[in-house]
Every structure is written in structure tokens, then in C-alpha cells.
Amino acid sequence: MTDLRHPLRLLASAEFARAYTITVLIAVFGSFAIERLSSLLTLATVIVVLALVGIAVLFSRREELSLLRLAPTSLLGFLALALLSVVWSTDRSDTLTGWASLLGYAVLAITVGHVRDTLQTVRAIGDTLRWLLIVSLALEVLSGILLDVPFERLGIEGSLAAGGPIQGIFGTRNMLGFVAVIALITFIVEWRTRSVSTPVAVGSVALGAFLALLSASPTVVVLAAGVGVASLALMIVRHAPAERRNMVQWALGAVVVIGLAAAFGLRHQIIRLLDAGSDFSMRADLWNTILDFVPNNAILGSGWIGAWNDSAFPYIYINILLDQQHQSALNAYFDVLLQLGWAGLLLFLVLGGVAIIRSWLVASVRRSVVYAWTPLVLVTLAIDSMFESFTLVGAGWFMLVLCALRAGQSRSWRENIDAVQTGTLPTLRPL
């Protein structure tokens, strides 16, 4: 039994890693509720404390960690550019605050990624989201049926009796839908890996699907379709003979390109089918206005800020022009383009794109279905980023960093350097 009396031994113990991971996940996914029930300062304090503890945990495990593989290079480049943007930012204090938030959540994700393996991460996220979704449903029932009173402090409108839309403890229906889709991926992987009992797995999937439906979020339909197609494609690749796998990968890649082109060509029909015409029209107006401001700072952007500040330029001017109160570009790619220019967008695309490719290739050859979790979550983040900016703040950014780190741990140029130093050759053998 591990001696936990010494502080460093306690920090390096499996028991502490398990407790730390659950605490981090509750803080990350419950950040909106924490902020609303207390204050933004309280949330910031929680994240800072957990980040400092995470650094201490990594220090206690320094002998088993490689500095080269601590974090993806593209992540470090993105963080460096965001910090450097304070030089040309229109609001330096907001830039430093936004960058500190990026760094804090990234440290949490890096720590969790190094102290928990893939299956342990899936189990921890599954347990956390299961309870948070139960709490969300319970509060919606209490607000919309039993008391028939909105819980304004939590943003719960009490619309459950009318069939939705509902928000739960996540602030908006789109955020609830986003979390529900991630939860569904996690619950199904738990089920397939037999990490939980069948009744718990079935109940969890039903809970996630029910809340995703009640969120009435148009993006949920797109996310579900995208993840479904990705799951089918991954299943085909995993069951293909090894000698034909590369050919199958290229064929599927061609199908994806054709499908995206067809979806773009039929975008108006798809929007009408989803009954999201007014919602998409509002987004299109916002994106067109953003593009008008991009040429002013095309290469490096106007400076990182994260969530929009109503008093900062050009965000306040964009809202004035549109007579709206947007807190983001409602598209992570447009947001990065506006704030960090084409340089930042390139780094952001490399961060997510390389992670998807790496995790996809690993999931293609590993037998355990748990390896499918990372690429499917990354696909969810990539698709959702076309309609929301969740991937740049809070839980979305945490998941992006966690998945990018997880993908890089199995397939990276750093692995080859470590292999040369230790005299071993990295291989991807089926488990």
C-alpha cells in the first residue's frame, strides 16, 4: 500500500489522481453554475487553485513524464501567440485575463491527460456528466413542473412542461445539447467497454438522448449526424483487412469531401429542413460583419480576448452595427480569425486537425473501442465550432486540449525521440 504521509507521494498517488480528476471535471463542466451561484471571482479562484495543484501533481510525477511530450507543440504555439497579442491588443487587461483563462483550463487538461489513461478518463467524464445531467433534469422538473417558476439565477426558464427548450445548469440550450452529445459518446463507449453495468449504461444513454432532444438545439441534429457518420466510417476502417486499410481511408476521405461539398450546395434546403432559417440568418449576418473587420488586422488579429467584452473594440462596434448582444462570433474559426488573425487560425486548425488524424489512425488499428472516444469527441468539437465558440472557452477548450494531448501520446514525433533515448521502438500493437 502506498505511503501517503509524504506530500509528494500523496500528490503522485492513484487515489489523489482519481479525486483530482473528478474535482476538475465538476469545476469545468459546472463552471456556469458555479459562476451564477457565486461569482466570476469564485470560479476563477477555483480554476487557479486546481491549476496550481495540477502543476504540483505533474512535479511529483516528473520522473515518469517526458518534457518533450508534456503538451502538443501546436497548443504551445497557440498559447504563445495569444499572449504575444497583448502587444497589439486594443484592451491589454482583457487580453491578459482571456489568456490566463486559456492557460488555466489547459493546465487542468494537461494534468488530467497525464495522470489518467484513456479508459480512466472516459469513466471519470462519464460519472461526472451522468450526475450533472441528472441534476439538470431534476432542476428542470422542479422549475417547469413542480413549482412552475423559472430559476433565473441559473438561467433555467422552466419550459419543460411545454416540451422545451431546456438549458439545465449549462446556461443555454446549445451548450446543453453540446454536453449531451459528448455525454452520449462517453456513455456508449462505457457500455461497449463494459465499464459500467448494462442498466446504468442504458439509463445513461437514455438520459443523454432525452436531454439532447429537450434542448431543442438545431446544432444537436448536425452534431448527431456528424458523429454518426464518423462512427460508421471508423467502424468500416477498423474492420477492414490491414492490407486494404489505407485504401479504405483514402476512399472515405474522398466521400467526406464530396459530402461536405454536397452539404454546402444544399445548405439552404438543409437549413429549411432543420427549421433554423432565422437562426442561421442571424449567424450569417454576424459572420459577414466580422469579415469586414478582419482585413484591418488580417495576419495577427485584434488581440486575444476569448469571450467578447461589450466595451472592447471591435466587439462593441459589431454588436452596435447588428443591434445585438453577441458574446462570441458563434463560430470558433471566425472568432480565432478575428482575434488572432490567419496566423492564429492556422495554429488552431493544426491543433485540432493533427489531433483528429492522430487519434483516428490510432483508433483504426487498436482493437479496444475505448480508442474511438478521442476522435469522435474531436469530430464533435470540430463540427460544433462551426456554430458556436464553445471550443475556445471553458469545457470546450478543456476537451480540445485533453483530446489533443491524448492523441499526441500515442502517435507523435516526440515518441520517436523518446524511443531513441530509451532504446525502444514505438509500435501500435492491437490490444
Side-chain angles (χ1 to χ4, degrees):
M1 184 175 179
T2 305
D3 183 7
L4 302 182
R5 290 174 293 180
H6 193 281
L8 288 182
R9 290 175 184 168
L10 173 62
L11 291 173
S13 67
E15 294 87 348
F16 189 88
R18 188 182 308 112
Y20 177 81
T21 299
I22 293 294
T23 304
V24 165
L25 292 173
I26 292 174
V28 168
F29 284 98
S31 58
F32 177 82
I34 294 173
E35 179 183 345
R36 281 301 186 91
L37 293 175
S38 184
S39 67
L40 181 59
L41 179 60
T42 300
L43 175 61
T45 302
V46 169
I47 299 301
V48 168
V49 170
L50 287 174
L52 292 175
V53 173
I55 293 173
V57 169
L58 294 176
F59 178 78
S60 70
R61 292 171 173 252
R62 60 193 180 280
E63 294 182 358
E64 61 189 69
L65 298 177
S66 167
L67 186 60
L68 283 174
R69 299 174 65 185
L70 190 63
T73 306
S74 51
L75 170 64
L76 299 178
F78 188 82
L79 288 171
L81 180 60
L83 177 59
L84 187 62
S85 71
V86 72
V87 176
W88 60 84
S89 173
T90 56
D91 193 323
R92 294 184 176 181
S93 61
D94 281 342
T95 296
L96 289 174
T97 301
W99 179 82
S101 177
L102 272 184
L103 180 64
Y105 282 99
V107 169
L108 299 184
I110 290 170
T111 305
V112 170
H114 281 296
V115 302
R116 299 274 88 182
D117 62 26
T118 304
L119 183 57
Q120 291 169 336
T121 301
V122 169
R123 286 287 293 110
I125 293 177
D127 287 341
T128 302
L129 295 186
R130 200 163 12 251
W131 283 108
L132 291 182
L133 291 179
I134 289 173
V135 170
S136 293
L137 181 58
L139 290 174
E140 289 286 353
V141 169
L142 187 63
S143 172
I145 297 178
L146 298 181
L147 299 180
D148 194 22
V149 173
F151 295 161
E152 295 180 359
R153 197 175 185 89
L154 285 172
I156 296 176
E157 298 176 358
S159 304
L160 181 60
I166 65 173
Q167 305 79 30
I169 61 171
F170 302 104
T172 66
R173 62 175 182 166
N174 287 340
M175 186 62 183
L176 172 60
F178 170 68
V179 172
V181 171
I182 291 179
L184 279 170
I185 296 171
T186 306
F187 296 155
I188 292 173
V189 170
E190 281 185 321
W191 192 354
R192 291 291 306 280
T193 55
R194 299 179 181 178
S195 301
V196 295
S197 64
T198 300
V200 172
V202 172
S204 299
V205 171
L207 173 67
F210 184 59
L211 289 182
L213 180 64
L214 287 178
S215 71
S217 171
T219 60
V220 166
V221 179
V222 181
L223 288 176
V227 172
V229 171
S231 301
L232 178 61
L234 189 55
M235 183 179 68
I236 293 173
V237 172
R238 286 167 60 86
H239 287 84
E243 63 275 11
R244 297 182 181 178
R245 192 167 289 142
N246 286 337
M247 182 182 67
V248 173
Q249 297 271 32
W250 283 108
L252 288 173
V255 171
V256 169
V257 172
I258 294 172
L260 290 174
F264 180 78
L266 299 172
R267 61 190 182 279
H268 298 297
Q269 292 88 330
I270 294 173
I271 291 169
R272 281 197 299 269
L273 181 63
L274 296 176
D275 193 24
S278 60
D279 188 69
F280 185 82
S281 176
M282 176 267 294
R283 281 174 161 77
D285 291 340
L286 173 60
W287 300 338
N288 288 331
T289 305
I290 288 174
L291 288 177
D292 291 336
F293 284 87
V294 169
N296 298 328
N297 304 281
I299 304 299
L300 297 174
S302 58
W304 180 258
I305 195 172
W308 289 12
N309 186 332
D310 293 338
S311 62
F313 182 85
Y315 316 103
I316 183 174
Y317 196 45
I318 291 174
N319 280 329
I320 290 175
L321 289 175
L322 296 173
D323 192 23
Q324 299 284 341
Q325 292 295 322
H326 295 295
Q327 295 181 330
S328 73
L330 298 179
N331 182 302
Y333 308 111
F334 277 100
D335 238 332
V336 174
L337 180 61
L338 178 63
Q339 299 185 35
L340 293 179
W342 289 105
L345 181 59
L346 177 62
L347 285 170
F348 185 69
L349 291 175
V350 169
L351 173 61
V354 171
I356 289 178
I357 294 172
R358 283 174 173 171
S359 60
W360 186 276
L361 293 176
V362 171
S364 299
V365 298
R366 295 290 180 97
R367 289 178 184 171
S368 176
V369 73
V370 72
Y371 292 101
W373 180 82
T374 302
L376 292 181
V377 170
L378 284 168
V379 167
T380 302
L381 294 172
I383 296 174
D384 192 75
S385 292
M386 293 188 290
F387 306 100
E388 297 287 350
S389 296
F390 296 151
T391 334
L392 301 177
V393 294
W397 172 249
F398 172 88
M399 292 300 296
L400 175 61
V401 175
L402 176 63
C403 290
L405 177 67
R406 185 68 65 208
Q409 287 175 332
S410 298
R411 213 175 173 96
S412 170
W413 59 269
R414 298 177 185 81
E415 191 174 38
N416 296 329
I417 294 178
D418 288 341
V420 171
Q421 292 176 343
T422 59
T424 60
L425 292 177
T427 57
L428 281 178
R429 295 185 298 273
L431 294 182

